Amino acid sequence: MLDFISHIDLAFMVEAGPLYALAAKRTVFLAGAGIFLSLVIGLVSSLIRFYRVPVLKTLVGAYIELARNTPLMIQLFFLYYGLPRVGVRLDGVTCGIIGLAFLGGGYMAEAFRSGLEAVSRVQIEAGLSIGLKRTQLVRYVLMPQAFAVAVPAVAANTIFLMKETSVFSIVALADLVYVFKDLIKEGHSNENIYLLMIFYLIIILPVSLFFGYWERRMRRAGFSA
Amino acid sequence: MTALKPVLKITDLHKQYDQLKVIQGLSLEVKKGQVLVVIGPSGCGKSTLLRCINGLEPIQSGDIELNGDSITSGRARWNLVRQKIGMVFQSYDLFPHMNVMENILLGPLKAQGRKRPEAEAEAEALLDRVGLLDRKNSYPRQLSGGQKQRVAIVRALCMNPEIMLFDEVTASLDPEMVREVLDVILGLAERGMTMIIVTHEMAFARAVADKIIFMDQGVIVESAPPEQFFEQPVSERARKFLNIFHFDGVKKEETHNVENN
Amino acid sequence: MLDSALSLFLQGRNFARLMEGLWVTLEISAVSVLLSMVLGILVGLMMISRNPWVRTPPRFYLEFIRVIPILVLLYLFYYFPARNWDLNLDAKVVAVLVFTLWGAAEMADLVRGALTSMPVHQRESGRAVGLTEVQINRYIIIPQAVRRLIPGVINLTTRMIKTTPFIFFINVPELTKVGQQIVEVAGMRNYLASFWVYGFIFFLYFIICYPISLFSLYLEKKWSN
């Protein structure tokens, strides 16, 4: 029953490894772009809602609910297969990044919202009392503290988004799953599974460890919510 | 200490929260170098008064003038006005993500655009005066309540305000630390800082005030120099209020000769 | 343009098949959530045990689930047993299995959080009044723990629904896969098929998940008083 351990075809793994590695690199770049955009979108959205900007705050609210209540896969299907029929043609990479940014933005907005709400009113008043302008207040008093509170949520979202990238093969992107599906057609199913797991571990575990370290540092500095 | 234009002049201030009238037709004047202490029962509006002066609360009607310029007319830019009014809160509220020096310098450097060497020199001088120069690189979480409050006072002072407002600044401190903060404020009074202080500490009020303002339910009920107010309160409400604080055998100290206006 | 949409939905069994796909989605989510709760409570209790031998294995389990994408787990259970132990699991069984493992990990964390965030004096007050440990658990601890858990459980349910599209990859006829099948057939005669079908499915996920999350918010507000 356990002889799958002794019968690992290492030669195959060494041969196929580079293919997976390349796909992993691609995944990381796409994820990086998408996550970065989602942070920007999330930040702007949360500030709009925090400052209750008329009209925009309702639009942003609707966006957040839409982004958080629909799966990435269907968003990608719609962007890649649906939109071309009404004239908007996007390539796989663009769809992937837009999809991640759209979905991620909604989650990041919620993370930042809880951060902003955690900053006490008196802190804001203290900042006002020393004559800071609103932009200065946001930059020096509000955001640093909001961000510190938001880190755990931002961390969880980042890891979630990186895992979501596994659907990218449906928009014809040669990511890890695509390589897996391709290679497994010719057998070596165990080795392919190992490679798939190994490479996802390689790209996600460091991120998880990094955030864990950061969270511990923040907690020691007395910032925990 | 001849008085010219009053530093702060409030005329017929009205403020309400929804239907609740918190301040009803209040007027007062503060001259340069004068220390006003506002006392009264909870809910009388004294904290709200300070917050209105600093623009943290909107007012329904009335006028507030700082050095003769109206700050309620709608043309005033509050961030500039607030640089001239120093406020210290009950919950001190130092910025937790900055150390002491950064906390103090944020206003002068960013809001006032001053140069770092000059601002830092002043900050250090002030910290030295309150006895906290050796803590200039500490973070708020490393300080005691009394130390934090003293830093908060320095932070406000470093903006070189025309007037300082103190909102029950010792109310959340342990008794041992109350004294160190009050001593700082007394020191400021001796140097001629114009101040409005809201407090419960009656002995302190008596020692530091030029004039006591007694408020109840949003209006000024009585206004008098401390000796007069504490010894012979005129109004019935003041008498009732002071009864709570009267302990037999308290001796009056005559260490100051405060010029009364 | 609209008549193309209408003809799409009235054609053949399209609409009915979409509903069947939806049913599969909901079915798998519901079963997985229920099973996760059982397993999750068990693992959660293990995590707060004082015995380090009992406490640590769950931590590895949780970290593993946290880092590996769901899709990889699906592939793992789809191919591995089949190729190595001649155990051919039905795709739906694989789906429920994987989702339960994932859900249980999340539940365990929620349970641990709910129990450890309980103020200490609750138990002590109970003792002071003379209740037995069993009574304390039954009347004080458990009702409060349940209250803290419910928003998390509901949140997990919607997340499960949003994760079901992944089982598309192992050929379970859930909503998105049915959609794709319909588009493949209808798209030959109906140019806008992909736009309407995927758009509709997008909307469907939204109107299912959004009310549930609103309900969870409502509960949270009601119980925080």
Side-chain angles (χ1 to χ4, degrees), chain A residues 1-4 65-66 68-75 77-78 81-86 89 102 107 156 159 163-164 166-167 169-170 177 180-181 184 187 189-190 193-194 196-197 200-201 204-205 208 215, chain C residues 1 63-72 75-76 79-80 83-85 102 155 158-159 161-163 165-166 168-169 174 176 180 187 190-195 197-199 201-203 205-206 209-210 213:
Chain A
M1 169 142 159
L2 290 175
D3 49 40
F4 64 84
E65 291 306 327
L66 222 55
R68 282 165 52 89
N69 285 297
T70 51
L72 180 63
M73 189 180 287
I74 195 67
Q75 292 169 18
F77 264 125
F78 184 72
Y81 295 108
L83 283 188
R85 297 311 165 99
V86 289
R89 210 161 275 271
F102 179 82
Y107 284 95
I159 295 189
K163 295 197 288 180
E164 286 287 300
S166 49
V167 302
S169 51
I170 63 168
V177 172
F180 171 82
K181 284 198 293 190
I184 204 171
S189 51
N190 287 356
I193 291 187
Y194 298 150
L196 189 64
M197 292 206 308
Y200 266 113
L201 267 170
I204 296 184
L205 200 57
S208 173
E215 275 176 62
Chain C
M1 195 156 93
E63 198 60 29
F64 183 71
I65 301 280
R66 192 167 124 98
V67 175
I68 303 278
I70 285 270
L71 185 53
V72 176
Y75 277 131
L76 179 67
Y79 286 111
F80 211 78
R83 304 291 160 93
N84 289 294
W85 305 324
W102 166 52
N155 175 267
T158 51
R159 275 189 294 154
I161 295 179
K162 286 181 284 176
T163 314
F166 280 110
F168 165 113
F169 283 86
E174 49 78 49
T176 317
Q180 192 194 43
N190 195 329
Y191 186 68
L192 291 173
S194 59
F195 181 80
V197 174
Y198 293 137
I201 297 179
F202 179 89
F203 175 68
Y205 276 112
F206 181 72
C209 294
Y210 183 51
S213 65

Side-chain angles (χ1 to χ4, degrees), chain B residues 14-33:
Chain B
H14 283 267
K15 175 174 176 60
Q16 60 186 66
Y17 284 122
D18 298 323
Q19 301 305 320
L20 182 64
K21 289 194 171 54
V22 183
I23 298 183
Q24 313 186 56
L26 186 146
S27 302
L28 65 79
E29 263 183 40
V30 187
K31 301 203 175 53
K32 190 168 164 64

